[in-house]
Amino acid sequence: MATSRTMSGEYQQAYERSMTDPDGFWREAAALIDWEREPETIMDSSALPFSRWFGGGELNTCHNALDRHVDAGRGDQPALIHDSPVTESVTTFTYTELRDLVARFAGVLRSVGVGKGDRVVIYMPMVPEAVIAMLACARLGAVHSVVFGGFAARELAVRIDDARPSAIVSASCGIEGKRVIEYKPLLDKAIDLAEHDPGRSIVLQRPQFQGEMTDRDVDWAEAMSTAEPTECVPVAATDPLYVLYTSGTTGKPKGVQRDNGGHAVALRWSMEAIYDIHPGETFFCASDVGWVVGHSYIVYAPLLTGATTVLYEGKPIGTPDAGQFWRVIAQHGVKALFTAPTAFRGIKKEDPDAALLAEYDLSGFETLFLAGERLDPETYHWATEKLGVPVIDHWWQTETGWAIAANPRGLEPLEIKPGSPSVPVPGYQVEILDVDGSPLPAGEEGAIVIKLPLPPACLQTLWDDDERFRESYMSRYEGYYLTGDGGYIDADGYVFVMGRTDDVINVAGHRLSTGSMEEVLAGHPDVAECAVIGVNDQMKGQVPRGFVVLKAGVTRGEDEIGPELVALVRSEVGAVASFKNVAVVPALPKTRSGKVLRKTMRQIADGEDAMVPSTIDDASVLDTLRPVLEKGPAGG
Ligand code: COA
Ligand code: AMP
């Protein structure tokens, strides 16, 4: 266990300065970035809730991630290591090699008409070309929108219609464990479903499955062979770098928009302050480039720092065994690993004694970082005991782009309290409010909010929808950003995150909307109404459970309709939803105003004390449902 210190040292000083002198604090951090034109202002909060960071500044994020490291003599250092147990290959790209590939792919994008400000949807598995495509967009000043490969065609189509891209970059297939997932047919279907015409699609053909090419498609390899390398196009610090869709409480995903300047500064700063990773060191973030964790800590932060990043195309278990994380750490000299607790629950289940650890030399490994969902104490203790390094929980969201609360290992290692992601990160004024907006004392649970302005790298707005941005995050409590999480802060200033207060669920570290699953169920011809709730699951944290009421006159029952509904969610939302349980029920419990009592249902299913609101319409409906909820999912 690492030495713990009290909060009087470097963390406290940095935190206080970020609160009392934010301009000075972030001006200093901005010196870690190359500017084409120095910012005139640091933070402009005149248009709150919208904040603008580094106004007047110009930069290029790709230059900061690649070219400047080559210019500074890091050209021969590995920038990206693609470690792929599913294809049994390891490929290393130096900074010079990666820069050259990115410059050429930017040329390909330009040749199909992509320019500054245009959107490019990227729908790819964990291949180096996904990173190359993202950085090539940044090089051109175009705005990428990466869609997680586990989402089905309909979800991709919704994102295409919202982002209105000028081009799409995809691959013929992904490899999930032993299965080959054919992406190209999904891409074609999504383009058919979408109303927006996305222009050309550049397709990486992989040997495991060759997609059928149409007139719209451009072959990645062919296009690269003749591409002209392209220079970095300077953009305003406040111009968008990317839009990343995340689940909200409705079926329509939210397009989180992030800028270039604030993002580069905060992520570069976080790499040393939070993760204690310096130029030349190796970082392994086992997430997916389709999620925010992958954007920030597989791609941008390590490369902005001049570190080496590992892109892992495999699973924590089953590709082929539960020792793969240890192998990657030993083989590539990884200093810190960042993943989701669910990955460790998987490893623990397969190899409870962590016997496979003995096969690898982990002497250079210093820290395990976990995020994406609550870190249960059992997993925390197991990982700490088996690895013998500090296990650091930290809490953040797609919207913030980096940690809100963490134990800042580079600034000052603080005491670890199991169950807490530790303390607010410099830049974040975290508070707990009650329903009326009054601050709550230490230890009392309420809504976790962040006082405006948000620090750099947090969302600028929702893509093309300022109104939804205000309404979703900024309207509940005037002057505060609503995180959507509930929790408390203890007397030592440690934050405890207890879970979402809305209809967002977290399945194996994947954020999903019950609303989008309900939309799919409601679309079945036999379904009159439905509800989807997230219930506790030992492995995945949460899994969804569906409850449907059938239309009058439907004679078929759960045994027939249930599997149809499961298949429907899998094909419309994606396998990643892990939607495997649905029950046909006579009615759903509601308030008198017609709101389904999802929270009460979830509490009963999880075996908690259920709060039954006094506004319940017909208590007998809940009584009938109770045994179904308590029994748990059949076969689940
Ligand atoms: N493309 C296509 N399908 C995908 C996919 C992708 N990129 N990612 C996941 N899926 C599929 C899986 O194959 C699985 O399908 P199945 O129902 O046919 O088995 C389904 O979606 C659920 O996947 P997952 O949630 O990954 O669970 P799993 O049962 O395959 O694996 C663990 C179990 C323990 C390995 C898993 O919980 C895990 O570690 N996931 C990764 C966590 C993570 O990195 N989260 C990112 C946040 S930081
Ligand atoms: P995402 O936007 O996919 O990163 O998911 C963000 C949500 O995941 C948060 O709002 C939390 O509900 C949950 N989450 C992320 N990290 C943690 C953590 N360390 N502890 C508890 N919940 C977390």
Side-chain angles (χ1 to χ4, degrees), residues 17-18 20-33 35 37-46 50-58 237-238 259-263 265-266 427 453-457 460:
R17 176 142 188 249
S18 77
T20 54
D21 176 23
D23 276 16
F25 183 89
W26 291 112
R27 185 180 292 109
E28 253 169 50
L32 294 167
I33 292 300
W35 297 90
R37 192 158 163 257
E38 290 292 326
E40 284 157 20
T41 54
I42 301 302
M43 188 249 300
D44 172 5
S45 52
S46 59
F50 300 91
S51 33
R52 289 161 53 89
W53 283 93
F54 307 109
E58 282 184 8
T238 49
D259 64 359
N260 274 272
H263 174 258
V265 171
L454 293 169
Q460 290 182 293

Side-chain angles (χ1 to χ4, degrees), residues 372-374 393-398 485 497 500 506 511:
E373 54 171 332
R374 183 174 165 266
D393 183 11
H394 58 323
W395 166 59
W396 50 300
Q397 314 183 309
T398 306
D485 281 307
V497 181
R500 298 285 307 190
N506 203 310
R511 174 166 159 183

